[in-house]
Amino acid sequence: MESEANVPICKRLRTKMYYVLGRDHVDLRESSPTAQYWCSRTATVLGPDEVWCSPEVCQPGRACFEPEQS
Amino acid sequence: MAQEQKPPEVPTVTYTVKAGHASNPQTMEVHAAQGDLKPWDLDSKLRVVKGRQPRLDGKYKVTGRAKYTFDISMPGMLWGRMVRSAVPAGQILKIDTSKAEALPGVKAVWTSDARTVRFAGQDVAAVAAVSPEVAEDAARLVQVTYDEASFVTDLEKAMADDAPLVYEPDKIPGPKDIPRKGNVLGPKPPGRGGSRGDVDKGFADAAVTIQQTYSVPTHTHSPLETHGVIAKWEGDQLTVWASTQGVFTVRDGMAEALGIDRKNVNVITEHMGGGFGSKLAPSASGSAFAVVACKLAKQAGAPVKLMLDRHEEHLCTGNAPSALMTVKIGAARDGSFTAVHYRSFGSAGIAGGAGTGGPAGSLHGKNPNLKIEEHDVFTNAGPAAPLRAPGHPQGAFALESAVDEVADRLGLDPLEVRRKNEASPVRLIQYDVGAKAIGWERRNKKPGEGAGPRKRGIGMANGNWYVIARGSGVGAEVRIHRDGSVEYFSGAQDIGTGFRTAMAMVVAEELGLKPTDVKPNVGDSRWPEGPGSGGSNTTNSVAPAVRLAAHDARMKLFALAAPGLGAKAEDLDAADGKIFVAASPGKSVAFKQTAAKMSGEVIAAVAERKKQFETYRQDLAGCQFAEVEVDTQTGVVRVIKVVAVNDCGFPINLLTTESQIIGAMIQGVSWALWENRVLDRNVGTMVNPNLESYKVLSSKDMFEAVPIVTEIANAGNNTSAAGIGEPCIVPTLGAVANAVFNASGARVRTLPITPDRVLAALAEARRS
């Protein structure tokens, strides 16, 4: 199993800080206790599989997961 | 809070600045990126910045000429209308749109692919028609068949072992590394401030310990302008007029959801009627309405306007999470804290992010032992969205109420207890300023000691926020035309804060002009990129880029003026519409006369913001003092006065800075006394989805609002601006609750502080 620091996060995961600080300055692997996350495919807090989005759940193993390199 | 990555190393230049507050200046070195300017500091002689400039767009707003998204109309435009789930949980078995499609005037229909309903108000279908009335009729003709499921809308009931599950365990991929039981997720890793020391030892060392639980209901943003867009296609080119806090968020969001090139998407927000955090997503946290509008427009071959109504605004566009917060504080006899344990459960509906531990992590920094535990609790309700210092007003209400209870137990002045535990030199200054402004000495020495049934009292509370700024990917353009006119361009949006005026002041400062000489152009994704307006970052992210662009334009203009003045360009200065030799101000030439010398038609300067550098402090301090009157016979609370003392770095425009602080006090008092989203526990729908029974503060409830800015040369960027939109709401809820206690002796631990709760608390106080 990959270490937490290297766990890939779905490339579709978004949160406000992605656009506030800029994508280069946000580590989406680190969950914020006050942030809502959304999926860029659905544009809401629910992913295509109708489950909520967050760094902890938008990881490999989820059916809709898209790796960064694809 | 934010999840910031370490920025890349860049070549730097070192500046020595006089930072901090004028009463206690601190000389410090900052390492700016090469090419950046020395930050304005306590020695800077500013002519325009920090002044009081009325909004440049004020006349357009008060005369109705300012065009909000809601106001925009165009030939052939259709009206969109969403169909939302009427039930809070279940499966969609069938969506029958045949009757809607057959209605004359209906031009397009959309249905959701989702089949699971998790809250009442979820997107199900949509229509576009020739008028809003036909669209509404058509929406009503969409027939949805559900297989309803059990649900839970109440925070505490959702925590029970036998509560209906919002997410079925077998369908959840994880979550990894976070405990989960039923609908409860957590404790989550602590945010900023985190935990420190050994709380068990700290409580063992305490002379007194208090532990109380406080609760806050879900609060909706309720901006004047609801969420909405107009989507227009011209071939592959999509233009979206959006009521948003992030034109670039919407641009990227539409491109990604629709699978099109973002270069083919243009987003415009000329004026925006409030968002308070709810408009930071591409559509809304609980609705893809903007994407749907684009799809309807494509399908119909016509522009589609889709503005949500007030009912929808309450259901699916976000809210501030409810919270159940238990605070345990141990203290020595002199009021010094020995330990704080903060434990919260909050519900962001079907989403996460209901943490409220930020204030506990940042306030009372001398406390050596701190433990924060935050939990999310899923409920069948619309998802939260950031709301003006997410989680902090709730957390500060609980924490600062508990601090007041410690002071009462020890028989100490609550202000002195806060001083005893204060680590911020800025807030220590603010304590004196605020106490003087409210007349702290007038407070009841014994709570409720005033004569008669109407009792007055004074309370206070602290708040905190963070310096959040985008250090790259933000640009600005300044143009000086040959006729001497000046304009600037920033793609970032003015969400009602006065951003466009503040940036004009920065340009005017550099060019020696009046702000009214500068034409602002903001809120268009074709212009230099700006951040989403969240985290109180817009001014301190964009102003440094505007200053750089204006400075570049200034130096180009100075090069034209220098030969005639017999000086070098770097020896010139500008003020009052003139360019002059700094060492000999009598040698001058008019700004317009110099502009006329340019060989072309325009001097254009484009700049990108440089990295954020060392700041005087990384936190933004604030505290508030409230005076209230409590009718002990009816339980009605009336707020008399609120004094807000806040740090925002350098206020670019003091007038609109104060306006933001006043707005926060109003929103905070409204939150403390009235606002309460009520979901029907039997059917799962919202009982008060309007502004009639969802109570907000009205003009007759208005109080004396006193905004005080403690200017701090923050030095984190070339303007020393640091942000104000959010920090000024954090203390209000707690200050009002503590004032109610001081007035009446009634400690109300559940918001809103309604008459029935006041009377119950008075009865409890009499019993004890």
Side-chain angles (χ1 to χ4, degrees):
Chain A
M1 185 178 168
E2 293 184 81
S3 68
E4 187 181 345
N6 295 321
V7 164
I9 298 295
C10 180
K11 73 173 188 178
R12 294 290 195 162
L13 187 65
R14 297 288 181 272
T15 187
K16 79 169 184 183
M17 282 300 172
Y18 189 92
Y19 294 99
V20 168
L21 294 172
R23 59 182 177 274
D24 296 338
H25 299 281
V26 171
D27 186 353
L28 284 173
R29 291 181 300 244
E30 189 181 329
S31 181
S32 162
T34 59
Q36 283 74 53
Y37 293 84
W38 70 85
C39 170
S40 72
R41 273 178 69 182
T42 63
T44 78
V45 298
L46 297 176
D49 59 355
E50 304 175 25
V51 171
W52 90 97
C53 302
S54 77
E56 297 85 11
V57 296
C58 294
Q59 298 186 5
R62 187 164 175 172
C64 50
F65 175 81
E66 294 184 40
E68 190 61 48
Q69 62 271 23
S70 70
Chain B
M1 271 311 308
Q3 323 85 343
E4 296 175 43
Q5 292 194 130
K6 190 178 178 186
E9 294 294 326
V10 294
T12 60
V13 57
T14 303
Y15 292 119
T16 301
V17 298
K18 193 179 282 185
H21 190 260
S23 67
N24 184 24
Q26 179 180 317
T27 300
M28 61 183 283
E29 285 190 345
V30 297
H31 300 86
Q34 274 187 8
D36 205 348
L37 300 166
K38 180 182 176 180
W40 289 327
D41 67 0
L42 293 173
D43 284 340
S44 297
K45 308 295 183 196
L46 299 170
R47 303 176 180 97
V48 178
V49 164
K50 297 200 293 180
R52 305 171 68 86
Q53 173 63 45
R55 293 168 193 262
L56 298 177
D57 52 345
K59 60 187 174 186
Y60 302 114
K61 289 187 170 178
V62 298
T63 57
R65 282 181 286 168
K67 294 296 180 191
Y68 293 77
T69 302
F70 193 89
D71 298 320
I72 292 168
S73 187
M74 56 193 69
M77 188 182 80
L78 303 175
W79 297 78
R81 182 83 186 173
M82 299 293 295
V83 178
R84 305 197 169 281
S85 66
V87 304
Q91 294 294 312
I92 297 173
L93 301 179
K94 185 180 179 185
I95 305 173
D96 182 354
T97 61
S98 57
K99 290 182 180 173
E101 290 176 61
L103 187 70
V106 172
K107 302 296 183 184
V109 174
W110 169 86
T111 56
S112 172
D113 294 331
R115 284 295 172 268
T116 304
V117 172
R118 302 202 191 277
F119 72 96
Q122 195 170 312
D123 295 347
V124 172
V127 299
V130 294
S131 72
E133 293 80 11
V134 174
E136 188 169 341
D137 286 347
R140 286 189 181 136
L141 291 173
V142 175
Q143 294 179 313
V144 187
T145 308
Y146 302 96
D147 178 14
E148 295 185 41
S150 55
F151 63 91
V152 61
T153 56
D154 179 79
L155 168 62
E156 291 183 70
K157 286 182 178 160
M159 292 162 61
D161 289 343
D162 60 350
L165 295 174
V166 176
Y167 293 100
E168 304 81 352
D170 60 322
K171 293 185 179 172
I172 300 172
K176 299 173 178 65
D177 307 322
I178 296 180
R180 181 170 190 268
K181 185 179 180 186
N183 293 312
V184 181
L185 197 65
K188 301 184 80 174
R192 288 183 191 225
S195 297
R196 60 180 180 265
D198 180 345
V199 288
D200 291 336
K201 179 179 181 306
F203 287 123
D205 292 343
V208 297
T209 299
I210 68 105
Q211 178 173 319
Q212 292 293 351
T213 297
Y214 309 86
S215 68
V216 180
T218 298
H219 166 115
T220 69
H221 299 70
S222 299
L224 278 177
E225 185 183 38
T226 58
H227 284 64
V229 295
I230 295 144
K232 180 183 180 184
W233 293 89
E234 291 169 291
D236 292 337
Q237 296 289 320
L238 173 64
T239 302
V240 179
W241 289 262
S243 182
T244 181
Q245 293 175 240
V247 296
F248 297 96
T249 311
V250 176
R251 180 196 65 181
D252 293 3
M254 294 308 102
E256 291 173 327
L258 296 166
I260 60 176
D261 188 333
R262 71 188 62 188
K263 294 192 295 295
N264 291 342
V265 183
N266 180 37
V267 179
I268 300 169
T269 304
E270 189 177 359
H271 293 279
M272 210 277 272
F276 310 116
S278 67
K279 294 175 181 172
L280 282 158
S283 279
S285 61
S287 175
F289 75 89
V291 178
V292 172
C294 296
K295 290 180 175 177
L296 289 170
K298 189 79 169 176
Q299 187 183 338
V304 169
K305 182 175 190 173
L306 204 167
M307 299 296 299
L308 303 190
D309 66 16
R310 185 59 60 187
H311 187 154
E312 294 173 289
E313 189 71 21
H314 281 293
L315 297 183
C316 62
T317 65
N319 52 67
S322 59
L324 189 65
M325 303 159 284
T326 299
V327 186
K328 183 178 180 183
I329 299 179
R333 292 279 173 207
D334 69 353
S336 303
F337 295 166
T338 58
V340 174
H341 183 189
Y342 182 92
R343 182 175 164 85
S344 76
F345 295 85
S347 183
I350 61 167
T356 58
S362 298
L363 295 174
H364 316 300
K366 286 189 176 175
N367 164 46
N369 303 300
L370 172 68
K371 184 176 184 180
I372 298 174
E373 295 176 292
E374 299 174 276
H375 304 74
D376 285 336
V377 182
F378 293 116
T379 53
N380 292 104
L387 194 154
R388 212 168 186 171
H392 286 59
Q394 302 99 310
F397 159 67
L399 181 70
E400 292 298 285
S401 293
V403 170
D404 228 49
E405 299 208 45
V406 170
D408 184 58
R409 176 79 68 84
L410 290 168
L412 298 174
D413 179 338
L415 177 55
E416 294 310 311
V417 169
R418 289 181 173 86
R419 282 189 208 276
K420 185 72 74 176
N421 294 285
E422 187 57 69
S424 165
V426 176
R427 200 176 286 101
L428 284 170
I429 294 168
Q430 294 174 335
Y431 288 149
D432 293 338
V433 172
K436 184 179 178 185
I438 196 74
W440 182 248
E441 73 283 354
R442 297 186 296 117
R443 61 184 286 277
N444 297 311
K445 303 304 176 284
K446 181 183 177 190
E449 69 181 0
R454 287 186 175 182
K455 297 174 182 291
R456 289 199 176 189
I458 296 172
M460 68 159 300
N462 288 339
N464 74 295
W465 194 242
Y466 321 93
V467 177
I468 296 172
R470 184 160 170 182
S472 65
V474 175
E477 180 176 359
V478 171
R479 294 181 190 170
I480 303 173
H481 296 275
R482 201 155 67 88
D483 64 359
S485 62
V486 174
E487 57 185 335
Y488 78 86
F489 297 82
S490 165
Q493 55 292 317
D494 186 340
I495 62 172
T497 59
F499 165 74
R500 54 163 45 85
T501 304
M503 296 307 104
M505 292 174 74
V506 172
V507 175
E509 182 72 51
E510 281 293 326
L511 298 182
L513 301 172
K514 297 191 294 290
T516 48
D517 295 330
V518 180
K519 181 189 175 196
N521 298 284
V522 303
D524 191 317
S525 62
R526 291 170 296 188
W527 298 335
E529 188 163 351
S533 292
S536 302
N537 92 101
T538 315
T539 293
N540 46 323
S541 292
V542 182
V546 170
R547 187 183 171 207
L548 278 168
H551 185 80
D552 188 11
R554 162 188 164 116
M555 295 313 295
K556 288 174 177 170
L557 199 66
F558 281 6
L560 294 176
L565 293 170
K568 295 177 182 174
E570 55 268 32
D571 294 332
L572 302 184
D573 200 352
D576 302 324
K578 293 178 182 175
I579 296 169
F580 56 90
V581 180
S584 181
K587 295 173 71 175
S588 67
V589 61
F591 182 94
K592 285 195 172 184
Q593 195 178 336
T594 306
K597 292 181 179 175
M598 69 178 71
S599 56
E601 286 299 315
V602 65
I603 290 174
V606 179
E608 185 172 347
R609 192 196 196 278
K610 309 291 186 185
K611 75 178 181 79
Q612 183 81 357
F613 36 86
E614 298 91 335
T615 57
Y616 169 69
R617 285 189 68 82
Q618 188 58 32
D619 61 336
L620 291 173
C623 59
Q624 292 186 14
F625 298 74
E627 180 175 6
V628 304
E629 182 177 88
V630 179
D631 187 325
T632 56
Q633 292 180 327
T634 65
V636 171
V637 174
R638 185 164 69 95
V639 174
I640 307 296
K641 181 176 183 177
V642 179
V643 173
V645 194
N646 271 101
D647 161 21
C648 64
F650 271 2
I652 301 294
N653 185 358
L654 188 56
L655 190 64
T656 50
T657 300
E658 290 174 348
S659 174
Q660 287 204 68
I661 297 172
I662 292 169
M665 286 188 267
I666 293 170
Q667 197 168 23
V669 168
S670 186
W671 198 337
L673 297 186
W674 291 286
E675 298 193 44
N676 182 11
R677 186 196 69 179
V678 180
L679 296 181
D680 189 312
R681 61 182 177 275
N682 296 311
V683 294
T685 56
M686 187 170 173
V687 174
N688 52 345
N690 49 50
L691 290 180
E692 184 182 13
S693 50
Y694 181 89
K695 301 289 187 187
V696 297
L697 181 144
S698 67
S699 54
K700 74 175 178 56
D701 307 309
M702 192 53 199
F703 49 90
E704 181 185 358
V706 181
I708 300 175
V709 175
T710 41
E711 279 185 17
I712 300 293
N714 180 274
N717 60 67
N718 65 35
T719 67
S720 276
I724 190 62
E726 289 163 292
C728 43
I729 197 174
V730 177
T732 317
L733 286 60
V736 170
N738 290 339
V740 168
F741 175 72
N742 184 251
S744 66
R747 174 64 64 185
V748 181
R749 300 188 180 93
T750 298
L751 297 186
I753 304 174
T754 48
D756 58 317
R757 287 181 175 138
V758 171
L759 294 175
L762 282 167
E764 174 66 25
R766 280 194 291 271
R767 280 195 296 273
S768 60

